[in-house]
Amino acid sequence: RNGMGLRPLGTSAAEFEQDLLSNLYYRRGTTVESASTQDAYETLALTVRDRLAERRVRTAAAHYAANPRWVYYLSAEYLLGKQLEQNMLYSGTDRIARVAMKQLGLDPDEVEGLDIEPGLGNGGLGRLAACLLDAMATLDIPAVGYGIRYDLGIFKQAFKDGAQVEKPDDWTYQGNPWEFPAPDDQQTVFFYGHTERDENGRTQWIPGEIVLGEPSHMLVPGHGTDTVNIVRLWRARGSESSFDLSRFSAGQYAEAVDEAVHAENISKVLYPDDSTELGRELRLKQQYFLVSCSLRDIIRRFRLRNTDWAEFPKKTVIQLNDTHPTLAIPELMRLLVDEEGLGWDLAWALTKQTFAYTCHTLLPEALETWPVHMFERLLPRHLEIVYEINERFLAEVRDRFPGDVDRLRRMSIIQEEPERRVRMANLAVVGTQAVNGVAELHSQLLAETTLRDFADLWPTKFHNVTNGISPRRFIKLANPTLSSLITEGLGSDAWINDLDQLTGLERLTGDAAFREKWRAVKRANKVRLGLGDPDSLTDVMIKRFHEYKRQQLNLLHIITLYQRIKASPGRAYAPRTVLFAGKAAPAYHAAKHIIRLINAVAAVIDADPAVSPYLKVVFPPNYNVTLGSLIIPAADLSEQISLAGKEASGTGNMKLALNGALTIGTLDGANIEIRDRVGADNFFLFGLDTPAALELRHGGAYQPRAFYEQDEELRSALDAILDGKFLGVGREVAESLLGRDEYLTLADYRSYIDCQEQVEKAWADTEQWTTSSILNTARSGFFSADRTVRDYAAGIWHVSPVQVTR
Ligand code: DL6
């Protein structure tokens, strides 16, 4: 029996089979003879989950005993990926579960096929959150992720006549076996209303609306350790009184549930937009909902073992994943000052010590701001607090830079012109003890440009923590055959939790048999993906659609190749499959035009027998973690072609390099660090660097038309679009490039095309390519999320691991 007085769950296939049968019977109320596939799936999930639940209970006990400093990760988005395969691996049940299912006459692939991916995020930021949670658990760091349990995740993308259409993602339609409801920890959240001062001069917020936050959590197991942390997700509910029985009785059914529906809308849908401000008030409401529920929960947890508020920052670090949860800063002030009665100065010192902020962008339009009038209406007390924070902060700036009115205007948390707005990034910098960018270049540019005034004032507050990815998710699970080969080559699988060990592969670059197997694995992964000729160069661009990421540049290369093949049909072209995957924000029309044009070009090439043997464009819809995990292991070439100075970091670039793809890329984001590590010979570099791009863009002299006029191939590619050669689609794309060309696509065209020729030459030399591919994997250890978390732990969080013992 274990410490809980329970019989430990068995580790043999026979015992797992018994538990499957028992769960099928007692928790699904059926037998193996009459079970549906859904019954079998839910039962399998519960049987795996039970193994982790036991570790979870021990983890909670160990954490309680240690009373450690906790990391609370606040994020509006999580892209957790499918849970079943992960949890089978982490619980060590992957093999026995399959044996047991077969014993019961169940088809493991069919059963596992029912596992759903929770799509609670848009892109890089949400997936990063999931990778960091994975690494924190693996490194035994006591941590809780907080987020929103959106009813509808990121939309499902489909194509109609080549254009993106969006369908709702009702991801819990069949239930979610991975979730533990925790109704006892329900929280009450206020909105609207007004403030009053009581007889002691304390401020009281009299709310205009009250909503309930219902938590549930999913397990976040560590790999190779007994630690199981949690991610706690909040769902909005109307209060008991929100159902109007008298209206219902009078037949006014819609009106009767009006208030409840209104409340529940808060966690109804993830906003499918990660760069521009949409959804407005409801989005702000979501942010406060997340923050309010999470902070109360954090305080509840603190109080389990502590009484003295001075201890709070010693026991708590709250990492803000971008500005979305920044309202946590005024909310903690409100709780400490209004509810706990602390003086402002003490409350502010505690608050600042508690928070840290990660910025994920350089695009000014992606820095959130909220209209003051909206903020005031929804959160009247918080606006008062923000004003007070701002007044004291500006006094500090005035002291340091007397007479510098412009600086005050730029740094103020309140923007005055053209409209009064609350600047969330400024609030996040002012209210935290550490601010970090997510790649070296990004952190440098943040301090030199976007947040320069703040870096002048507080230089030591600014840090870099280069992003990382979970090796468990993005090589062990995604690429099992490569993982086996690496384990065979290195003689152990210890590299999975110590990715630097991959450097041991370098000595295998001289081993002919290993090289042969390396190529065979890549080929098999292309066959598994099933899109295009497995012997072709598989050229992959997988990411959100955004003009700064420049899918349009890739497209111009495809059109140029197409035209070259048409012009000289007799030559021997190396077959190439260009794969795109990614979603565009529904309201981002320019990005949607690019999607439509890619599909049109793909169709025209497919229909042209002179070209299709050499060139194929594929665009599987609905890019998500699951699809990415199939594409990444199959890639030969990774397209990381954003305009220098625009991509904060990128993490797809790391996943692809780790899986042996060579990068064609600009000196942007983490590409620079990837190139530094894998070696310039194993990376195809092109394009303007950041200073050159800034000069060209802001020197005011950039004329995209001049590039069009001078370069015959570029002209011909753009003319083909303008002449309607691709099903008449894409004029908007060409016109935008010839108009402003915000992201200097035409300026980088020639350099990119020439670089793609280098790629082609390199691809023709199979042996050299194989060496580069192995070296990309061997030298990508730095990009493990374990290293990222160690950097956060040492440089920002100052936390230590807590071991979970049996
Ligand atoms: O840090 C994770 C990820 C970076 O790798 C990408 O470069 C960056 O674009 C992305 N940002 C977002 C949303 N941005 N905001 N704000 O996903 O973060």
Side-chain angles (χ1 to χ4, degrees), residues 326-348:
T326 300
L327 285 168
I329 294 168
E331 173 68 356
L332 183 58
M333 285 301 287
R334 188 185 74 79
L335 294 171
L336 294 179
V337 173
D338 296 354
E339 296 197 1
E340 299 296 325
L342 268 58
W344 181 279
D345 291 335
L346 176 59
W348 182 239

Side-chain angles (χ1 to χ4, degrees), residues 593-699:
H593 288 313
I594 296 170
I595 289 182
R596 183 132 193 249
L597 180 57
I598 291 171
N599 281 323
V601 170
V604 167
I605 291 175
D606 255 354
D608 191 331
V611 182
S612 57
Y614 308 110
L615 184 59
K616 187 171 177 67
V617 178
V618 290
F619 193 160
N622 202 36
Y623 184 60
N624 57 12
V625 178
T626 309
L627 181 56
S629 302
L630 277 175
I631 295 171
I632 290 163
D636 296 307
L637 185 67
S638 158
E639 299 270 355
Q640 307 301 335
I641 61 178
S642 51
L643 174 62
K646 297 291 177 191
E647 187 69 88
S649 160
T651 44
N653 46 4
M654 301 169 184
K655 295 164 196 167
L656 285 155
L658 177 62
N659 281 272
L662 279 61
T663 303
I664 179 167
T666 49
L667 286 177
D668 200 14
N671 294 353
I672 299 174
E673 288 156 82
I674 292 177
R675 181 168 173 266
D676 285 348
R677 286 188 163 75
V678 306
D681 291 346
N682 307 303
F683 186 109
F684 301 97
L685 178 69
F686 78 96
L688 299 162
D689 64 8
T690 303
L694 282 173
E695 196 185 314
L696 186 58
R697 179 80 276 166
H698 299 297

Side-chain angles (χ1 to χ4, degrees), residues 490-686:
L490 297 179
S492 123
D493 67 0
W495 59 273
I496 297 164
N497 277 17
D498 180 8
L499 210 59
D500 288 331
Q501 288 190 23
L502 289 178
T503 51
L505 295 173
E506 290 205 27
R507 62 180 167 74
L508 293 167
T509 51
D511 177 334
F514 184 80
R515 300 163 62 82
E516 194 58 50
K517 287 185 195 164
W518 191 268
R519 283 192 289 266
V521 164
K522 185 63 84 181
R523 192 179 188 285
N525 284 332
K526 295 187 204 179
V527 171
R528 176 178 75 152
L529 175 63
L531 296 167
D533 172 7
D535 294 314
S536 64
L537 168 65
T538 301
D539 171 350
V540 162
M541 186 156 187
I542 45 176
K543 49 186 82 242
R544 285 292 289 230
F545 272 75
H546 201 294
E547 288 163 286
Y548 84 77
K549 295 180 188 275
R550 300 200 299 191
Q551 280 90 354
Q552 67 276 20
L553 180 59
N554 189 339
L555 190 53
L556 288 175
H557 171 243
I558 294 167
I559 296 174
T560 300
L561 275 186
Y562 166 76
Q563 293 185 328
R564 285 184 184 177
I565 299 170
K566 292 290 280 180
S568 316
R571 285 185 32 202
Y573 297 95
R576 192 191 276 245
T577 304
V578 187
L579 186 154
F580 290 90
K583 297 174 184 177
Y588 189 178
H589 299 293
K592 292 176 106 173
H593 288 313
I594 296 170
I595 289 182
R596 183 132 193 249
L597 180 57
I598 291 171
N599 281 323
V601 170
V604 167
I605 291 175
D606 255 354
D608 191 331
V611 182
S612 57
Y614 308 110
L615 184 59
K616 187 171 177 67
V617 178
V618 290
F619 193 160
N622 202 36
Y623 184 60
N624 57 12
V625 178
T626 309
L627 181 56
S629 302
L630 277 175
I631 295 171
I632 290 163
D636 296 307
L637 185 67
S638 158
E639 299 270 355
Q640 307 301 335
I641 61 178
S642 51
L643 174 62
K646 297 291 177 191
E647 187 69 88
S649 160
T651 44
N653 46 4
M654 301 169 184
K655 295 164 196 167
L656 285 155
L658 177 62
N659 281 272
L662 279 61
T663 303
I664 179 167
T666 49
L667 286 177
D668 200 14
N671 294 353
I672 299 174
E673 288 156 82
I674 292 177
R675 181 168 173 266
D676 285 348
R677 286 188 163 75
V678 306
D681 291 346
N682 307 303
F683 186 109
F684 301 97
L685 178 69
F686 78 96

Side-chain angles (χ1 to χ4, degrees), residues 123-125 128 274 322 360-361 366 438 467 548-549 647-651:
L125 172 152
L128 182 79
D274 58 5
D322 219 88
H360 293 269
T361 190
V438 288
N467 280 342
Y548 84 77
K549 295 180 188 275
E647 187 69 88
S649 160
T651 44

Side-chain angles (χ1 to χ4, degrees), residues 378-397:
L378 190 67
L379 302 167
R381 177 57 183 145
H382 295 78
L383 188 67
E384 293 173 0
I385 292 171
V386 168
Y387 280 157
E388 178 85 33
I389 294 172
N390 198 35
E391 206 176 298
R392 290 164 184 251
F393 163 63
L394 292 180
E396 194 182 331
V397 179

